[in-house]
Each structure stands twice: as structure tokens, then as C-alpha cells.
Amino acid sequence: MNRSALASLAALLALASCSSSSTATAPAELIPLFDQLAPEGAMELEFDRDGRFGDLEAEVSVESVPAIVRDAVAQAHPGVELTGAEREVQGGEWTWEVGFEEEGRGVQVVVSDDGDLLETERELEASEAPAEVLRAAEGAVPSSTLASVDVVTSASGDEYHVKRERDGARYKVVLTSTGEVLRIVREARAEIEIPVSTEILRRP
């Protein structure tokens, strides 16, 4: 996983500790996702400004990736060796994201449980990204420095994720290929504590 930060997780902690409603809960997918988390893994949770959940991700062991997903990656990218994996919930659908290196670049592909390739994310040099994308990202986070650029390709076209840093904070700007800013998120580290299942403790 390139992203070790937890996007806007502070919002979840605030909701959990300060909510006046005793029935406020996280989405149903969070607990089973947390239970699959690798021992040294990180989770990523995304919210909107109203506190509603978006996508959820958890780093898992490469060994846990099912054969149908491995086969789909091998067919699209012959000869690569998986270097990381995540279990994700995107738009309410469970998916897998696996990472590897190809031609010296980091690549992540998102694959459905049925083995369909949904999107591919590739690292770029700044010189390879459209100039209008870089200019718009810089304008979106003034007085910041460029950290990384990725292009995400799916059936709906290309989308650019530009990471920028300012005053020690990291921001991700999501843009179209023409430089239209779709959203800006701040990534921040946080800690999650959930009571452990005794069933998990009994696993060998």
C-alpha cells in the first residue's frame, strides 16, 4: 500500500466519542475488514464533510489473495510478483487491490471477487503528467510541494491523484485529465481500537 495514512479518520473518532446518539455506528463492513488486517498493516477510511463513510481499505497478507484474483493479475501483467495487498470496500462492493513493480514503477490493480480488473494505478514521474493537471493541483493547495503523481485508469477513463505537502500535512488532489479538480482530501495518521474477537485469537 502506498498510502499508510488514514484519510480523515479523526472524523470517525470524533463521532464515536462525541455523538449525542448512542446508536451511532460505523458501516457494517468495517469490523470484518478490521479482522482481516495484517499484523503490521494499516487501514484507510474516507469520509465526506458530513461524516458519511466512503471507501474502506485494509492491508492484508499477500497469501490471503485468492487464486482467481492472482490469475487475473497474472493474465494482465505476466511475470510480476505481488508485493502487497489490500481488501477494500468501494461503493459498497468488496474488492482486492494488489501491488507489484513493473518496469521499475509501482503499480496497483483493483480486482473484483469474480476476477474482473476494475482499475489500474501507476506511479508517474512529474514530467509524464499533463501540465494542466500539475498546475491545477498546485493551485488547489497553495504554498505546497509535490510529493507524488499517480494515474488511475478504469472504464470511465483516466484520473490523476496528485499528492502535495504543506506544513507537514499531506493532501491528495484528485483531478481529471484536463485538470478539473474533483476533490481534495487531507491524509492523516490515526489509531483504531476495536475489541478483538476470541475466534481470531484461536486461529493458528
Side-chain angles (χ1 to χ4, degrees):
M1 174 191 285
N2 287 341
R3 305 160 299 221
S4 62
L6 303 177
S8 302
L9 188 53
L12 173 62
L13 303 179
L15 286 173
S17 62
C18 302
S19 173
S20 60
S21 171
S22 61
T23 60
T25 60
E29 297 91 348
L30 177 61
I31 303 303
L33 196 61
F34 183 84
D35 287 346
Q36 296 177 56
L37 187 65
E40 298 298 325
M43 291 192 73
E44 183 175 317
L45 293 79
E46 189 169 323
F47 301 83
D48 65 19
R49 293 296 296 182
D50 294 326
R52 291 186 295 257
F53 271 90
D55 296 341
L56 313 176
E57 304 175 6
E59 286 184 336
V60 297
S61 68
V62 170
E63 292 74 22
S64 68
V65 177
I68 190 171
V69 173
R70 290 173 176 271
D71 291 345
V73 175
Q75 184 174 354
H77 303 271
V80 300
E81 181 178 351
L82 302 188
T83 57
E86 297 175 7
R87 189 64 163 135
E88 303 183 344
V89 180
Q90 294 191 354
E93 298 295 326
W94 287 87
T95 61
W96 297 86
E97 180 178 291
V98 295
F100 50 88
E101 283 199 0
E102 190 173 54
E103 299 178 351
R105 303 287 183 89
V107 180
Q108 292 84 39
V109 294
V110 177
V111 184
S112 73
D113 282 351
D114 296 326
D116 297 323
L117 267 68
L118 304 178
E119 64 180 41
T120 302
E121 180 173 345
R122 295 180 181 276
E123 294 179 354
L124 296 180
E125 298 290 341
S127 60
E128 298 173 306
E132 54 268 37
V133 167
L134 297 180
R135 281 196 299 268
E138 184 176 6
V141 188
S143 304
S144 62
T145 58
L146 180 66
S148 66
V149 184
D150 297 318
V151 59
V152 180
T153 301
S154 66
S156 58
D158 287 348
E159 184 178 273
Y160 288 83
H161 294 183
V162 181
K163 303 274 183 82
R164 299 193 64 89
E165 295 179 348
R166 186 177 75 180
D167 299 329
R170 175 166 288 202
Y171 300 85
K172 179 174 72 175
V173 186
V174 180
L175 312 98
T176 67
S177 58
T178 59
E180 177 188 357
V181 176
L182 300 177
R183 67 183 187 277
I184 307 168
V185 299
R186 179 185 170 192
E187 297 181 339
R189 290 182 177 274
E191 183 175 300
I192 305 174
E193 293 188 3
I194 298 177
V196 68
S197 164
T198 55
E199 179 183 343
I200 293 176
L201 293 177
R202 293 193 187 101
R203 292 176 185 171

